[in-house]
Amino acid sequence: MSKVKFFNGESIPLEMHKVMIVQKLELPPIEKRLEYMQKAGNNTFLLNNRDVYMDMLTDSGVNAMSDQQQSAMLLADDSYAGSETFTRLTNKLTELFGTEYFLPAHQGRACENIIMQTFVKEGSIIPMNYHFTTTKAHIGLNGGRVEEIIIEEGTNVTSKHPFKGNMDTDKLQGLIDEHGKEKIAFVRMEAGTNLIGGQPFSLQNLKDIRKICDENGLMIVLDASLLTDNLYFIKEREEACKDMTIREITKEMMDLCDIIYFSARKLGFGRGGGISTSSKELYLEMRELVTLYEGFLTYGGMSVREMEALTVGLEESMDESIICQGPQFIEYMVNELEKAGVPVVTPAGGLGCHIDAMEFVSHIPQHEYPAGALAAALYIVSGVRGMERGTMSEQRDEDGNEVLSNMELLRLAMPRRVFTLSQVKYAIDRIIWLHGHRELIGGLRFTDEPKSLRFFFGELEAVSDWQEKLVEAFRKDFPDSL
Ligand SMILES: *Cc1c(COP(=O)(O)O)cnc(C)c1O
């Protein structure tokens, strides 16, 4: 936890920043929250932010900017072509990643669109440690297929493995032997593996993958959206890297990859995204699509102001005392919940705290969306908004059957530099209360189910009056609390 030791021996994360701009929050009473949740079709994506006390839906585009970032925004050079702002951003990426070329894009999935259109063909196979929703969709759209070859520990909910995001290199070799290297478009590694709980891969794992890729003439494409958490964990957990600086780890990691892309809504406390590479050939292959889908080559759909903020944010991402904040707050939350017997994904990862809904509400069958039901229940009892990452986030197969997710998680993202410890403690308290009343929580069923990306827009209803009963139980314990 924090490098500062407390006299009373307590171990809590210490904010290494002060708050200079604030946004007022509302905490509507539970009766109102029940009404809002039902009106939102029990889908936390459809809640209005003004009705949310702690927005832990995502870490995307909601990280707090620093004073340095805000002031840099005023210096932006607003020109269509040849903007100084773009030069500054490209130079910063060259400095940190060692990559000469940069293609700007409006966000992470736009980078995926460009990369997949360029390199994925009908029948292509793309091995990866684990998929991300938008990645998989873009690969599918281009006729390719995802092969998840994460190590077996990766999908174990509780574990002591420090690098659950590692790829199983034997399985990678196996895929190459089975299908032939010609079928493989590239190998994708995702830093801070999102959907399994923000879990990192080790630098050694990436080196091992590089070796196999070199032997077979394959490219490595790195999804660096959640890079900073992964860097922090490498420094903390990988013996061989403990004396390296974050900057050195970054450089060594990027040297092992052919193409690096990222969502700047996550990386660099910014908004936007982009693709970096040292290869002129790869750069030229992708370049045209930027102008087709994103904008001219020196902004790619981003405003110059967000590019300036990103340039500074990338520099801040190399500061260990800044990037430790997310993982340390998450670790605190995970540890406190674990102590209270609440099932959480361990070890604590980046991105957020992940509650294991499969275990928390083990009485709810998967086709009644345990993680979605838990997300609705938590909002009702606390005003905290999380995100379902389970069966609801899957898509039905061609015959319309449910595809049951191998994990049912409620993700409580920890936006960077946003919440104070007392707010985190409030969330912990309400989760523990809810866990004590978990048998009251029931399932959900769709009333309106879109075919694609149903977790974004779908509406559901409770299968019984369990939500009203939950409110009654809350009122018994908290007669006059919000
Ligand atoms: C968020 C995310 C993306 C997509 O980025 P957007 O900016 O939301 O389009 C891709 N990969 C990972 C790992 C992400 O976390």
Side-chain angles (χ1 to χ4, degrees):
M1 210 53 80
S2 161
K3 293 241 156 72
V4 176
K5 297 287 171 238
F6 282 62
F7 182 53
N8 67 4
E10 220 183 325
S11 178
I12 58 173
L14 193 62
E15 291 87 348
M16 294 304 287
H17 49 255
K18 63 176 179 178
V19 178
M20 294 167 75
I21 293 185
V22 296
Q23 179 181 5
K24 188 174 182 319
L25 293 173
E26 302 290 341
L27 179 53
I30 189 167
E31 292 76 13
K32 280 277 174 210
R33 299 196 296 259
L34 171 68
E35 190 187 313
Y36 297 148
M37 191 73 265
Q38 293 181 343
K39 222 156 74 196
N42 285 290
N43 182 346
T44 54
F45 275 100
L46 301 181
L47 284 166
N48 289 318
N49 203 32
R50 66 163 178 271
D51 303 327
V52 171
Y53 175 59
M54 281 174 81
D55 190 7
M56 303 183 86
L57 185 77
T58 174
D59 59 336
S60 172
V62 289
N63 299 308
M65 281 194 195
S66 67
D67 50 354
Q68 305 288 325
Q69 286 183 287
Q70 294 245 322
S71 53
M73 289 172 93
L74 296 174
L75 299 173
D77 178 23
D78 225 339
S79 53
Y80 188 88
S83 135
E84 269 303 298
T85 294
F86 178 73
T87 306
R88 279 195 281 271
L89 175 55
T90 304
N91 288 347
K92 180 53 71 182
L93 285 160
T94 303
E95 175 196 327
L96 303 183
F97 292 180
T99 47
E100 196 174 335
Y101 303 98
F102 177 61
L103 293 166
H106 78 277
Q107 62 183 95
R109 69 200 67 183
C111 304
E112 290 172 336
N113 175 39
I114 291 163
I115 294 169
M116 306 316 165
Q117 276 207 42
T118 309
F119 301 106
V120 176
K121 309 268 166 317
E122 197 61 44
S124 289
I125 293 168
I126 297 89
M128 56 183 68
N129 51 349
Y130 207 75
H131 82 279
F132 183 70
T133 47
T134 54
T135 324
K136 193 174 181 174
H138 277 292
I139 289 172
L141 272 174
N142 288 285
R145 177 160 64 86
V146 165
E147 282 282 355
E148 284 168 342
I149 46 172
I150 195 151
I151 56 165
E152 208 147 306
E153 287 280 317
T155 48
N156 290 352
V157 173
T158 55
S159 162
K160 297 226 179 299
H161 200 294
F163 293 107
K164 285 166 79 177
N166 277 355
M167 178 177 278
D168 185 328
T169 49
D170 290 339
K171 284 193 182 152
L172 175 59
Q173 189 61 57
L175 279 177
I176 298 170
D177 295 344
E178 187 185 343
H179 301 284
K181 59 189 177 195
E182 297 73 23
K183 273 252 165 191
I184 295 174
F186 53 82
V187 175
R188 174 178 174 275
M189 282 299 278
E190 184 178 310
T193 324
N194 190 325
L195 295 191
I196 59 160
Q199 300 289 330
F201 60 73
S202 68
L203 194 56
Q204 187 56 49
N205 186 240
L206 192 61
K207 287 181 187 168
D208 297 342
I209 295 162
R210 179 75 264 171
K211 188 158 172 287
I212 296 173
C213 287
D214 280 344
E215 287 162 6
N216 293 281
L218 294 173
M219 292 201 298
I220 297 181
V221 174
L222 175 70
D223 181 341
S225 304
L226 302 178
L227 176 69
T228 48
D229 295 336
N230 207 122
L231 291 171
Y232 172 76
F233 288 127
I234 286 178
K235 175 134 174 96
E236 282 290 297
R237 299 176 183 176
E238 193 162 350
E239 187 57 30
C241 301
K242 73 177 199 310
D243 295 324
M244 292 168 76
T245 63
I246 295 293
R247 206 176 276 270
E248 286 165 348
I249 299 170
T250 304
K251 185 65 181 21
E252 194 161 337
M253 185 188 282
M254 299 315 172
D255 281 349
L256 295 165
C257 302
D258 299 277
I259 293 175
I260 300 139
Y261 76 92
F262 57 90
S263 165
R265 298 178 62 82
K266 330 268 173 75
L267 181 64
F269 309 96
R271 320 287 186 261
I275 306 170
S276 288
T277 180
S278 294
S279 157
K280 185 163 192 187
E281 202 182 317
L282 296 175
Y283 165 78
L284 291 175
E285 273 188 84
M286 294 183 279
R287 189 171 71 175
E288 227 166 84
L289 294 180
V290 173
T291 43
L292 203 55
Y293 288 103
E294 300 301 306
F296 191 68
L297 284 177
T298 51
Y299 67 93
M302 283 186 278
S303 81
V304 282
R305 286 179 220 301
E306 61 197 16
M307 286 161 71
E308 289 288 357
L310 174 56
T311 305
V312 176
L314 286 167
E315 179 59 35
E316 290 176 1
S317 300
M318 296 294 115
D319 182 337
E320 199 185 340
S321 73
I322 291 178
I323 63 171
C324 73
Q325 296 279 296
Q328 288 191 350
F329 269 67
I330 293 161
E331 187 183 4
Y332 176 81
M333 189 167 181
V334 166
N335 289 349
E336 292 297 306
L337 290 173
E338 204 183 12
K339 270 191 261 168
V342 177
V344 280
V345 173
T346 57
L351 211 171
C353 167
H354 294 73
I355 298 180
D356 176 13
M358 202 92 88
E359 177 69 31
F360 195 114
V361 281
S362 55
H363 56 281
I364 301 180
Q366 266 191 290
H367 63 266
E368 288 182 8
Y369 316 116
L374 185 57
L378 181 62
Y379 171 76
I380 292 170
V381 304
S382 68
V384 173
R385 159 154 78 166
M387 188 193 293
E388 192 268 4
R389 293 270 86 149
T391 298
M392 240 176 94
S393 296
E394 298 284 342
Q395 222 152 282
R396 286 180 190 268
D397 67 15
E398 282 129 40
D399 305 324
N401 300 312
E402 284 283 5
V403 174
L404 301 181
S405 175
N406 48 10
M407 285 173 134
E408 290 286 342
L409 301 180
L410 169 57
R411 182 181 90 181
L412 300 169
M414 193 74 75
R416 303 305 191 250
R417 312 192 280 204
V418 169
F419 296 127
T420 59
L421 195 62
S422 50
Q423 289 172 319
V424 173
K425 282 185 163 187
Y426 166 78
I428 293 168
D429 178 79
R430 289 302 192 255
I431 295 165
I432 294 173
W433 182 87
L434 187 60
H435 188 245
H437 295 78
R438 60 189 177 275
E439 78 289 347
L440 291 176
I441 306 172
L444 300 174
R445 65 177 158 242
F446 273 102
T447 53
D448 177 13
E449 183 180 349
K451 273 214 160 53
S452 164
L453 297 175
R454 63 181 183 178
F455 65 94
F456 277 141
F457 328 109
E459 296 192 26
L460 306 95
E461 65 182 6
V463 296
S464 66
D465 63 349
W466 64 264
Q467 298 184 322
E468 286 75 11
K469 296 227 165 78
L470 192 61
V471 172
E472 266 172 46
F474 182 92
R475 272 287 163 247
K476 244 186 234 147
D477 286 354
F478 303 100
D480 49 16
S481 171
L482 292 171

